[in-house]
Amino acid sequence: MTDWLTPEEWNAVALSLRVSLWATVVSLPFGIFIAYALARWRFPGRQLLNGLVHLPLILPPVVTGYLLLRTFGRNGHFGLFWAEITGQPFTFFAFRWTGAALAAGIMAFPLMVRAIRLSVEAVDPRLEQAAATL
Protein backbone atom coordinates (compact mmCIF):
# COMPACT_ATOMS: atom_id res chain seq x y z
CA MET A 1 0.00 0.00 0.00
CA THR A 2 2.89 2.38 0.66
CA ASP A 3 4.43 1.68 -2.76
CA TRP A 4 2.19 4.17 -4.52
CA LEU A 5 4.26 7.15 -3.27
CA THR A 6 8.02 7.48 -3.29
CA PRO A 7 9.88 8.79 -0.22
CA GLU A 8 10.34 12.17 -1.97
CA GLU A 9 6.60 12.38 -2.57
CA TRP A 10 5.90 11.52 1.07
CA ASN A 11 8.30 14.34 2.02
CA ALA A 12 6.31 16.72 -0.17
CA VAL A 13 3.06 15.61 1.47
CA ALA A 14 4.58 16.02 4.93
CA LEU A 15 5.88 19.48 4.02
CA SER A 16 2.47 20.52 2.71
CA LEU A 17 0.78 19.30 5.88
CA ARG A 18 3.31 21.10 8.09
CA VAL A 19 2.94 24.36 6.15
CA SER A 20 -0.87 24.23 6.19
CA LEU A 21 -1.02 23.27 9.87
CA TRP A 22 1.20 26.12 11.00
CA ALA A 23 -0.47 28.63 8.69
CA THR A 24 -3.82 27.72 10.21
CA VAL A 25 -2.64 27.60 13.83
CA VAL A 26 -0.95 30.99 13.64
CA SER A 27 -3.63 32.83 11.67
CA LEU A 28 -6.74 31.36 13.31
CA PRO A 29 -6.74 33.47 16.53
CA PHE A 30 -6.27 36.66 14.50
CA GLY A 31 -8.94 35.53 12.05
CA ILE A 32 -11.48 34.88 14.79
CA PHE A 33 -10.79 38.23 16.45
CA ILE A 34 -10.98 40.26 13.24
CA ALA A 35 -14.06 38.40 11.99
CA TYR A 36 -15.84 38.97 15.31
CA ALA A 37 -14.84 42.64 15.30
CA LEU A 38 -16.12 43.12 11.75
CA ALA A 39 -19.36 41.27 12.49
CA ARG A 40 -20.30 42.77 15.86
CA TRP A 41 -18.47 46.03 16.50
CA ARG A 42 -18.91 49.43 14.91
CA PHE A 43 -15.73 51.51 14.92
CA PRO A 44 -14.01 54.10 12.74
CA GLY A 45 -11.94 52.44 10.04
CA ARG A 46 -14.07 49.31 9.96
CA GLN A 47 -14.40 49.41 6.17
CA LEU A 48 -10.69 50.10 5.82
CA LEU A 49 -9.92 47.02 7.94
CA ASN A 50 -12.34 44.99 5.84
CA GLY A 51 -10.57 46.18 2.69
CA LEU A 52 -7.12 45.36 4.09
CA VAL A 53 -8.27 41.89 5.10
CA HIS A 54 -9.49 41.20 1.56
CA LEU A 55 -6.45 42.74 -0.14
CA PRO A 56 -4.63 39.40 -0.72
CA LEU A 57 -7.64 38.21 -2.74
CA ILE A 58 -7.55 41.29 -4.96
CA LEU A 59 -3.82 41.55 -5.56
CA PRO A 60 -2.04 39.13 -7.86
CA PRO A 61 -0.06 36.50 -5.89
CA VAL A 62 3.22 37.85 -7.27
CA VAL A 63 2.47 41.30 -5.87
CA THR A 64 1.49 39.81 -2.51
CA GLY A 65 4.74 37.83 -2.42
CA TYR A 66 6.74 40.94 -3.32
CA LEU A 67 5.03 42.93 -0.55
CA LEU A 68 5.76 40.14 1.93
CA LEU A 69 9.44 40.16 0.96
CA ARG A 70 9.54 43.96 1.22
CA THR A 71 7.87 43.88 4.64
CA PHE A 72 9.73 40.94 6.15
CA GLY A 73 13.01 41.36 4.24
CA ARG A 74 16.24 42.72 5.68
CA ASN A 75 15.29 46.34 4.99
CA GLY A 76 11.58 46.00 5.68
CA HIS A 77 9.94 47.37 8.81
CA PHE A 78 9.24 43.99 10.37
CA GLY A 79 12.49 42.53 9.08
CA LEU A 80 14.56 45.23 10.82
CA PHE A 81 12.53 44.83 14.01
CA TRP A 82 13.00 41.04 13.94
CA ALA A 83 16.75 41.38 13.34
CA GLU A 84 17.11 43.75 16.30
CA ILE A 85 15.27 41.39 18.65
CA THR A 86 16.68 38.04 17.56
CA GLY A 87 19.95 38.99 15.90
CA GLN A 88 18.97 36.90 12.89
CA PRO A 89 17.44 38.32 9.70
CA PHE A 90 13.89 37.24 8.94
CA THR A 91 14.95 36.35 5.41
CA PHE A 92 16.56 33.31 7.00
CA PHE A 93 12.98 32.06 7.43
CA ALA A 94 11.64 33.43 4.15
CA PHE A 95 13.02 30.72 1.90
CA ARG A 96 12.22 27.81 4.17
CA TRP A 97 8.95 26.13 5.13
CA THR A 98 8.30 28.94 7.62
CA GLY A 99 8.14 31.46 4.78
CA ALA A 100 5.77 29.19 2.90
CA ALA A 101 3.59 28.96 6.04
CA LEU A 102 3.56 32.75 6.35
CA ALA A 103 2.58 33.17 2.70
CA ALA A 104 -0.09 30.47 2.94
CA GLY A 105 -1.51 32.07 6.08
CA ILE A 106 -1.65 35.50 4.45
CA MET A 107 -3.28 34.19 1.28
CA ALA A 108 -5.87 32.10 3.15
CA PHE A 109 -6.61 34.75 5.78
CA PRO A 110 -9.37 36.58 3.85
CA LEU A 111 -11.22 33.33 3.19
CA MET A 112 -10.96 32.37 6.85
CA VAL A 113 -12.16 35.76 8.07
CA ARG A 114 -15.07 35.78 5.63
CA ALA A 115 -16.29 32.32 6.67
CA ILE A 116 -16.01 33.09 10.38
CA ARG A 117 -17.64 36.50 9.95
CA LEU A 118 -20.62 35.00 8.14
CA SER A 119 -20.96 32.41 10.90
CA VAL A 120 -20.87 35.06 13.64
CA GLU A 121 -23.41 37.21 11.79
CA ALA A 122 -25.76 34.22 11.53
CA VAL A 123 -25.99 33.95 15.34
CA ASP A 124 -28.63 36.14 16.95
CA PRO A 125 -26.93 38.58 19.39
CA ARG A 126 -29.78 38.00 21.85
CA LEU A 127 -28.77 34.34 22.04
CA GLU A 128 -25.23 35.42 22.91
CA GLN A 129 -26.57 37.71 25.64
CA ALA A 130 -28.74 34.91 27.02
CA ALA A 131 -25.79 32.52 26.99
CA ALA A 132 -23.64 35.08 28.81
CA THR A 133 -26.14 35.20 31.67
CA LEU A 134 -26.04 31.44 32.22
Side-chain angles (χ1 to χ4, degrees), residues 4 15 17 25 29 54 68 72-73 82 108 125:
W4 60 286
L15 177 63
L17 290 174
V25 166
H54 287 88
L68 284 172
F72 294 100
W82 181 269

Side-chain angles (χ1 to χ4, degrees), residues 41-127:
W41 302 339
R42 302 291 175 245
F43 55 91
R46 183 173 170 266
Q47 292 302 324
L48 179 64
L49 178 62
N50 190 32
L52 287 174
V53 164
H54 287 88
L55 199 59
L57 289 178
I58 299 165
L59 293 175
V62 172
V63 174
T64 304
Y66 176 73
L67 291 175
L68 284 172
L69 283 175
R70 293 290 297 165
T71 303
F72 294 100
R74 291 180 189 203
N75 297 325
H77 295 298
F78 187 80
L80 290 172
F81 175 72
W82 181 269
E84 286 180 19
I85 291 176
T86 64
Q88 190 173 34
F90 195 82
T91 53
F92 174 76
F93 300 105
F95 298 103
R96 300 178 67 195
W97 71 268
T98 52
L102 174 68
I106 298 276
M107 292 303 291
F109 192 73
L111 302 173
M112 178 189 305
V113 169
R114 184 165 175 80
I116 296 170
R117 180 180 176 185
L118 290 173
S119 299
V120 170
E121 288 174 346
V123 175
D124 187 0
R126 293 178 297 171
L127 290 176

Side-chain angles (χ1 to χ4, degrees), residues 21-49:
L21 174 75
W22 280 104
T24 303
V25 166
V26 171
S27 63
L28 187 61
F30 299 109
I32 292 172
F33 177 75
I34 290 176
Y36 189 84
L38 289 173
R40 293 284 191 240
W41 302 339
R42 302 291 175 245
F43 55 91
R46 183 173 170 266
Q47 292 302 324
L48 179 64
L49 178 62

